[in-house]
Amino acid sequence: MTLFENVIQKLAGRKSGAPSQAPTPGARAQQPSRAEQLLLNLAHQHQLLEVRIEGETQRFQSMILAVDTERGLIWLDDLFPRFEALLPGDSIDVQHQRGWESLNFGGPLLALGASFGATGFALALPEVLGYQPRRQSPRWQVPDYAPLRVKMRANYEEPSFGRLLNLSAGGMRIALPGNQQHLLRRDTLLTLVEVPLDQQFTLRCRARVRNLRLARSPYRHTQVSLEFAELTPEQREQLTRFVNVQLSLAVGSTRAA
């Protein structure tokens, strides 16, 4: 019996209160559900997953080590970067991104591998699972003829200025001149993002860097995707209304043309 199988059996015994029974020889294997198959595919492909811990702002990475469909458990690898304060009962959210879709699952941490002399941790296997569109809010692509200037600052550094590329109630993408990848990193918290959207509404908030990429056309620039942090309900309502108005105007212009 491998170390992992020993850990699974011990954990299953803790959950059920009785030792697990081996399947009857010759018994027909039950076909995995759609949720189980999706997770098995991620495990076989060694896909990186993003992990969030309730109460922690930092985000982590992990991989699925195994899916125990018989006992309803998922075993994930140790977090990277390492997080020593993880405890059974902590609420975990796990996400896998595929193009413009994401797969999300999670729940309370059931056990730590360290308790059994192994690595990783266990979660309950979700009954229902599927990829969903990542964007839940309409997104407005800013036209070239109406550039909007964005001011952004991380901590107490000097502010940087860029051009707004697109905008939704959840975040924005901006273009910074040149290669700025050495100055910003994924999950960097920007203490100020400011963009005057119209005469009545200037958006000021904090935001977190979600992605960066260097683009060379039509000029050399760095595209930075931001996720808004701590928007007030009033700001989100104003932002949603502004985006919807701009989308309506864009549709009207297209029909008139």
Side-chain angles (χ1 to χ4, degrees), residues 223-243:
Q223 293 191 5
V224 185
S225 296
L226 302 178
E227 179 182 60
F228 296 136
E230 303 173 2
L231 279 184
T232 66
E234 292 77 12
Q235 284 179 310
R236 192 172 297 278
E237 182 180 350
Q238 282 182 291
L239 189 53
T240 300
R241 185 164 56 246
F242 175 83
V243 170

Side-chain angles (χ1 to χ4, degrees), residues 192-241:
L192 173 67
V193 173
E194 180 179 294
V195 51
L197 296 174
D198 58 28
Q199 293 182 349
Q200 288 77 37
F201 181 34
T202 295
L203 177 65
R204 295 184 185 90
C205 66
R206 290 148 56 101
R208 192 173 298 278
V209 176
R210 301 300 296 127
N211 194 25
L212 300 100
R213 74 178 186 92
L214 182 63
R216 304 183 185 278
S217 177
Y219 58 93
R220 195 166 185 261
H221 65 282
T222 303
Q223 293 191 5
V224 185
S225 296
L226 302 178
E227 179 182 60
F228 296 136
E230 303 173 2
L231 279 184
T232 66
E234 292 77 12
Q235 284 179 310
R236 192 172 297 278
E237 182 180 350
Q238 282 182 291
L239 189 53
T240 300
R241 185 164 56 246

Side-chain angles (χ1 to χ4, degrees), residues 135 139-143 165-167 247:
R135 291 178 181 171
R139 188 169 294 263
W140 173 53
Q141 299 292 331
V142 183
L165 298 178
N166 60 46
L167 177 69
L247 291 173

Side-chain angles (χ1 to χ4, degrees), residues 141-152 160-166 172-177 195 218-219 221-224:
Q141 299 292 331
V142 183
D144 293 336
Y145 61 81
L148 291 172
R149 194 183 192 206
V150 180
K151 177 182 178 180
M152 51 181 278
S160 301
F161 296 89
R163 176 176 174 269
L164 183 64
L165 298 178
N166 60 46
M172 65 171 66
R173 182 179 297 170
I174 64 177
L176 298 176
V195 51
Y219 58 93
H221 65 282
T222 303
Q223 293 191 5
V224 185

Side-chain angles (χ1 to χ4, degrees), residues 4 7 33 36 42 45 48 57 67 76 83 101 118 130 135 138 182 189 215 233 235 247 257:
F4 173 74
V7 170
S33 67
E36 294 166 350
L42 293 177
Q45 296 166 12
L48 285 176
T57 57
V67 179
L76 286 90
F83 186 71
E101 297 178 312
R135 291 178 181 171
H182 63 292
L189 180 64
Q235 284 179 310
L247 291 173

Side-chain angles (χ1 to χ4, degrees), residues 107-161:
L109 190 153
L110 299 180
L112 288 168
S115 302
F116 307 99
T119 60
F121 57 94
L123 297 175
L125 187 67
E127 296 182 2
V128 179
L129 194 64
Y131 283 91
Q132 300 292 332
R134 287 168 57 191
R135 291 178 181 171
Q136 302 299 324
S137 304
R139 188 169 294 263
W140 173 53
Q141 299 292 331
V142 183
D144 293 336
Y145 61 81
L148 291 172
R149 194 183 192 206
V150 180
K151 177 182 178 180
M152 51 181 278
R153 183 173 61 232
N155 296 324
Y156 298 101
E157 299 174 2
E158 289 296 316
S160 301
F161 296 89

